[in-house]
Structures are given as structure tokens and as C-alpha cells.
Amino acid sequence: MDLPRIFTIRESSHRIHNPFTPGKLAALGRALHLAPGTRVLDLASGSGEMLCTWARDHQVTGTGVDISTVFTEEARARAAELGVADRISFVHGDASGYVADEPVDLASCVGATWIGNGVAGTVDLLARSLRPGGLMLIGEPYWRREVPDEETAKACHATSKTDFLLLPELIESFGDLGYDVVEMVLADQDSWDRYQAAQWLNMRRWLDENPGDELAAEVRAELTTEPARYTRYQREYLGWGVFALMAR
Ligand code: SAH
């Protein structure tokens, strides 16, 4: 049980595996006015940058769960580096179906709603760990503008236009699930570049060091086409944000 190695090649230099900069992650933490001791459950926690920095900056406590052994090791190392390893821990495992032993104050899934088969299922999953009145965070893509055709949607790595909604529709969908949207921080094209363009140098450096690797041809092909694909389609059409929700 592990994340395919191609992801750890592309994102080898990333602490945040999403189109957020450290500044946007910090802005979200400040926007939520987290009380010291806030208990957090973060499903698909990646390299743990949200939990680690919020433990340092806001004294939150809690647990991250992620299926990647590489990212989970990075998260533990980051917690030690920031001196917060006594307050937060990282579990290697499948987060789909993961429910906390004790209800938490904040339950999050930032950029991995497939663990609950989509937004609605992930909201239900997180709700099972959340105390009444707690905060939920969902990180999710949306269309920045109307997608003209299925080809464009697929070029944004969606399976279809219907995978994602326009921003106001996504916001309304949280209401339909019975939640107030109480905060949000959105990616922008520059923060998308920090996620996507940063992968190109990672791939190039990896290729130079691993020419005989079984993934080399795949990484070579991707690096050749990826910058144009990203700038032609994804950078223009795909938005992303983290939405803070409270049950009505
Ligand atoms: N929330 C993190 C990581 C987002 S990237 C951040 O913002 O940086 C998506 C993450 O989902 C990856 O770390 C990947 O390993 C993890 N993941 C994918 N499927 C998973 C599953 N079934 N259970 C737990 N984690 C999963």
C-alpha cells in the first residue's frame, strides 16, 4: 500500500502537495482563528506541512493519515525539525474510512476527496470524526471559467467536465450538503505555478540522475509536453481552494 513512485519523483521538492504557497497556508491558519490545543484530524496529510506549521504557529495538536510512506516520513521529519513532534503524529495508512477515536475540533481533507468517492462522501467521512460545532476543511478543484469541451476538461486531468463545478456552484453544493461555508482561501495562477512548474525541475534533475530507471521514459515524455499542457489548459481553466465548513 503506497503512493505510486511517479508522484514522489514529480513532487520531490514539495512540502505542500497542492497549489498553495506557504503564505496561503499560513493565511488560512490565521483566518480560522484556531485556539491553542485545537485537535485536528488531517486525512491525506501528505508531507504534513499544514499540521506541522499550524502546530508551531497556533499550537494545534492532532494526527495526519497518508498512504505515502515517503511523504509520511517527510512529515515526521518536518515535525521534529519544527519542534512539534510531541503535539502531532503521522500515521501511514489508507484514509478512506478512517475515523478518529475521539471527536476532533477540526477535520480536514485538503486535495484528496477521492478518498471519500468525491466531495459529498468525504464530507460524510470527516463528519464522523468531528465534534458538534467543529470546523471542516475541504480542498477541492473548481473550473475558473466555463470549459468549452471535453477535450479541454481531459487536458486538465479531469475525466469529464462534470468532475468539477464553477466556484459559485461548488459553494452552493456545500450548502446542499447542509453546511455553511465560513471561510475560504483560493489558489491563484502564481500559487498553481509553485505546485506545477516546480515539478518540471524536479523531473529534469531526477532524469539527469536516473537515466536507466524504469520510469525514465515516462518522466522524459511528461517533461517534454507538460509545460505547454499546463499553460494552455490547466493554468487557465482549473481553480483550487480550501473551504471551511460548519454544519448548519
Ligand atoms: N493534503 C496534503 C497532500 C495532498 S496530495 C497537502 O496539501 O500537501 C494528495 C495526498 O493524498 C498524497 O499525499 C497521497 O499520498 C494521499 N493519498 C492518496 N490516496 C490516499 C488514501 N487512500 N489514503 C490516504 N492518503 C491518500
Side-chain angles (χ1 to χ4, degrees), residues 1-3 7 11 15-20 25 42-50 65-69 71 93-96 109-112 114-115 195 240:
M1 180 178 61
D2 210 334
L3 188 69
F7 290 96
E11 301 184 30
R15 284 200 174 121
I16 302 171
H17 303 277
N18 268 313
F20 256 18
L25 194 58
D42 188 23
L43 298 185
S45 44
S47 299
E49 191 68 1
M50 187 175 85
V65 183
D66 199 280
I67 207 162
S68 166
T69 49
F71 292 168
D94 189 346
S96 44
C109 177
V110 176
W114 58 84
I115 66 165
Y195 179 53
W240 191 86

Side-chain angles (χ1 to χ4, degrees), residues 132-154:
L135 270 176
M136 189 181 290
L137 299 181
I138 295 277
E140 181 70 3
Y142 57 87
W143 297 123
R144 291 181 66 223
R145 50 194 172 100
E146 214 55 77
V147 176
D149 47 39
E150 286 296 313
E151 183 201 343
T152 305
K154 290 197 169 77

Side-chain angles (χ1 to χ4, degrees), residues 145-238:
R145 50 194 172 100
E146 214 55 77
V147 176
D149 47 39
E150 286 296 313
E151 183 201 343
T152 305
K154 290 197 169 77
C156 295
H157 293 324
T159 61
S160 157
K161 277 162 78 164
T162 56
D163 282 9
F164 307 125
L165 301 168
L166 292 166
L167 180 59
E169 298 170 354
L170 179 60
I171 298 273
E172 281 170 346
S173 78
F174 292 125
D176 295 342
L177 295 173
Y179 286 79
D180 287 323
V181 178
V182 296
E183 254 294 1
M184 68 175 190
V185 175
L186 303 181
D188 55 30
Q189 287 177 307
D190 292 331
S191 69
W192 263 110
D193 295 346
R194 290 308 83 232
Y195 179 53
Q196 294 288 336
Q199 298 180 23
W200 309 337
L201 187 57
N202 293 343
M203 289 193 280
R204 177 55 201 258
R205 294 265 190 251
W206 181 88
L207 272 174
D208 288 348
E209 284 161 20
N210 300 277
D213 193 282
E214 61 180 9
L215 290 180
E218 180 183 344
V219 173
R220 173 70 260 167
E222 196 176 312
L223 179 57
T224 303
T225 54
E226 179 62 16
R229 179 204 68 82
Y230 166 68
T231 47
R232 180 166 290 129
Y233 298 107
Q234 190 172 331
R235 194 174 192 275
E236 292 306 311
Y237 287 99
L238 203 61

